[in-house]
């Protein structure tokens, strides 16, 4: 029996100061991500390929941001909010 995998990703710690950790379901396939500011500007983007990944956010000013996650293999999309607070 295989352990049950989460169907959604987890983003923590929230609020964060310098590093955002992302735990993903179904890491067989790569996940694309983009960080978007409150004004809608794309701040950062990239690809995750492991169950637990980290993103450096130490250069982001304090504020509220969105991280958009997309797995094109199974057409899974998630959007999470996080806060940068120092």
């Amino acid at each position: 029996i295989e352990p049950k995998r989460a169907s959604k990703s987890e983003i923590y710690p929230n609020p964060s100061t310098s590093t955002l950790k992302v735990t993903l379901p179904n890491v067989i396939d790569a996940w694309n991500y983009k960080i978007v500011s409150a004004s809608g500007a794309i701040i950062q983007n990239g690809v995750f390929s492991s169950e637990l990944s980290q993103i450096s956010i130490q250069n982001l000013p304090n504020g509220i941001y969105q991280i958009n996650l997309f797995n094109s293999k199974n057409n899974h999309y998630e959007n999470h909010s996080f806060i940068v607070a120092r």
Side-chain angles (χ1 to χ4, degrees):
I1 298 175
E2 288 187 38
K4 184 178 179 183
R5 291 197 175 269
S7 60
K8 288 183 66 176
S9 59
E10 296 178 16
I11 310 296
Y12 59 95
N14 192 8
S16 185
T17 57
S18 62
T19 303
L20 191 65
K21 295 181 182 178
V22 180
T23 303
L24 299 167
N26 188 12
V27 292
I28 295 168
D29 307 310
W31 285 73
N32 295 306
Y33 76 89
K34 63 181 171 182
I35 295 177
V36 181
S37 71
S39 66
I42 297 173
I43 305 296
Q44 185 176 344
N45 58 28
V47 177
F48 294 132
S49 58
S50 63
E51 185 175 335
L52 176 60
S53 298
Q54 296 185 74
I55 305 171
S56 174
I57 56 170
Q58 63 188 9
N59 294 330
L60 296 179
N62 288 348
I64 299 172
Y65 297 86
Q66 299 286 318
I67 182 167
N68 303 318
L69 303 166
F70 181 67
N71 182 318
S72 61
K73 182 76 172 185
N74 62 12
N75 205 28
H76 186 96
Y77 178 84
E78 293 185 26
N79 187 37
H80 297 270
S81 297
F82 67 94
I83 298 170
V84 174
R86 291 183 191 87

